[in-house]
Amino acid sequence: MGWGVKPTGRAPILIRPATRADDDSVWRVIEPMIREGETYPLARDMTREAALAHFFKAEHEMFIAESGGAALGAYYLRANSTGPASHVANCGYVTATEARGRGVARAMCLHSLERARARGFRAMQFNLVISTNEVAVHLWQACGFTIVGRLPGAFNSPRHGYVDALVMYQAL
Amino acid sequence: MGWGVKPTGRAPILIRPATRADDDSVWRVIEPMIREGETYPLARDMTREAALAHFFKAEHEMFIAESGGAALGAYYLRANSTGPASHVANCGYVTATEARGRGVARAMCLHSLERARARGFRAMQFNLVISTNEVAVHLWQACGFTIVGRLPGAFNSPRHGYVDALVMYQAL
């Protein structure tokens, strides 16, 4: 199956809360993203321990996407800020390399929007969407996000050098 | 002396690194800002201990602005993000209530831009400039920042309700 093809005939994608008992699965999902360094502002040489501590921070609500028992993706939901700005949510989604093109990121994003609404957040903000990550930019737009800002050269891409990052936002 | 008047005839503003030995001075500067809740995304009921721990975080370089031995302001400089986005700096400036209109924020901002350049940062970003804080918006523009984004209703102002916040940015 290629990119963008619906997962017909596959087991459905299930999204459930993740715990530190899922460390191995979450690490398998996030390690290639960290080593690649093209999509998240995380050091490419980050250790497994540091990366898992980051994703499983106390203030993060962590979820894992699975199909037929295999981990396809993971994401966290958190308040993007505190006090008078704590009504704005933020998420970080990672799709397993081998699960790309199966709608996993879309499923996680829609799940997170629902969860954020249920928790009473009034908006969701992505602080640093890498402009070269066009699949993600289009997907977030399809999920209701608007580009509300552009940060010139804010991300140092191993492949492209300094590239712009986008701020994306939607009211809930 | 009124707003915007130059501090002629006053002792000059000196900016120096701050340490936890400056806790009392820093708290005197930041407490009214926190209680007011109009400019920073910090809980208005934040304790002295939590607020000082926030400002003096390990990854923050803290400075204090003084004149004739009295604390007029305080600010921190930090990397706004990590890994491939760690070349973008961020600051949080607070002017003492009684020192407003004396050019303290401008002095701190210019000091921070110099310091950020010296540390090798390539840009500086403010993530959440409250749109109703017009004095600050104009001052940052005068210091070289551009409005690169607008976050609708991202800040819950005690005085104005939900108001927009701005993302401001400048290359160094």
Side-chain angles (χ1 to χ4, degrees):
Chain A
M1 281 173 69
W3 284 72
V5 177
K6 295 269 185 204
T8 17
R10 288 183 186 259
I13 298 167
L14 299 173
I15 299 175
R16 63 164 175 83
T19 71
R20 295 304 301 255
D22 298 304
D23 269 6
D24 287 349
S25 296
V26 171
W27 179 237
R28 215 165 44 243
V29 168
I30 67 176
E31 187 187 11
M33 172 278 289
I34 292 170
R35 301 293 173 245
E36 193 180 45
E38 293 290 348
T39 51
Y40 273 84
L42 299 173
R44 295 175 75 188
D45 61 355
M46 208 174 192
T47 63
R48 171 186 157 124
E49 192 186 357
L52 289 169
H54 172 74
F55 274 81
F56 279 105
K57 266 183 199 158
E59 61 270 33
H60 288 189
E61 189 176 10
M62 269 288 284
F63 294 92
I64 191 162
E66 295 174 321
S67 185
L72 305 182
Y75 87 86
Y76 60 78
L77 168 65
R78 60 167 188 154
N80 198 42
S81 192
T82 59
S86 58
H87 58 287
V88 180
N90 169 258
C91 286
Y93 316 91
V94 187
T95 299
T97 310
E98 69 277 11
R100 286 178 184 170
R102 285 183 56 185
V104 179
R106 181 188 301 265
M108 291 192 292
C109 184
L110 297 177
H111 184 273
S112 71
L113 289 167
E114 202 53 48
R115 178 66 188 145
R117 273 187 206 101
R119 283 180 55 182
F121 286 109
R122 296 173 56 98
M124 192 179 289
Q125 179 176 333
F126 299 155
N127 302 302
L128 203 79
V129 180
I130 316 309
S131 57
T132 46
N133 189 3
E134 290 173 18
V135 173
V137 175
H138 293 139
L139 177 54
W140 305 149
Q141 287 175 320
C143 290
F145 287 85
T146 303
I147 297 171
V148 294
R150 177 174 281 263
L151 309 166
F155 192 82
N156 189 6
S157 152
R159 220 180 296 156
H160 307 285
Y162 290 99
V163 296
D164 295 353
L166 307 175
V167 182
M168 300 187 75
Y169 197 91
Q170 80 168 286
L172 297 180
Chain B
M1 282 174 68
W3 284 71
V5 177
K6 296 269 185 206
T8 16
R10 288 185 187 258
I13 298 169
L14 298 172
I15 299 176
R16 62 163 177 84
T19 71
R20 295 306 300 257
D22 298 305
D23 270 8
D24 287 348
S25 296
V26 171
W27 179 237
R28 214 163 46 240
V29 168
I30 67 177
E31 188 188 11
M33 172 279 289
I34 293 171
R35 299 294 172 245
E36 192 180 47
E38 293 290 348
T39 52
Y40 274 83
L42 300 173
R44 294 175 76 186
D45 61 355
M46 207 174 193
T47 63
R48 171 186 157 123
E49 192 186 358
L52 289 170
H54 173 73
F55 274 80
F56 280 105
K57 266 184 199 157
E59 63 269 32
H60 288 189
E61 189 176 9
M62 269 289 283
F63 294 92
I64 190 163
E66 294 174 323
S67 186
L72 304 183
Y75 86 87
Y76 60 78
L77 168 66
R78 59 167 189 153
N80 198 41
S81 192
T82 60
S86 58
H87 58 287
V88 180
N90 169 256
C91 287
Y93 316 90
V94 187
T95 298
T97 310
E98 69 278 11
R100 286 178 183 171
R102 287 183 54 184
V104 178
R106 180 188 301 265
M108 291 192 291
C109 184
L110 297 177
H111 184 274
S112 72
L113 290 166
E114 201 54 47
R115 177 67 188 147
R117 275 187 205 101
R119 283 181 55 181
F121 286 109
R122 296 172 56 97
M124 192 179 288
Q125 180 177 334
F126 299 155
N127 301 302
L128 202 81
V129 180
I130 314 312
S131 59
T132 45
N133 188 3
E134 290 174 19
V135 173
V137 175
H138 292 140
L139 176 56
W140 306 149
Q141 287 175 319
C143 291
F145 287 84
T146 304
I147 297 171
V148 295
R150 177 175 281 265
L151 310 166
F155 192 83
N156 188 6
S157 152
R159 220 180 297 157
H160 307 285
Y162 290 99
V163 295
D164 296 354
L166 307 174
V167 183
M168 300 187 75
Y169 197 90
Q170 80 168 286
L172 297 180

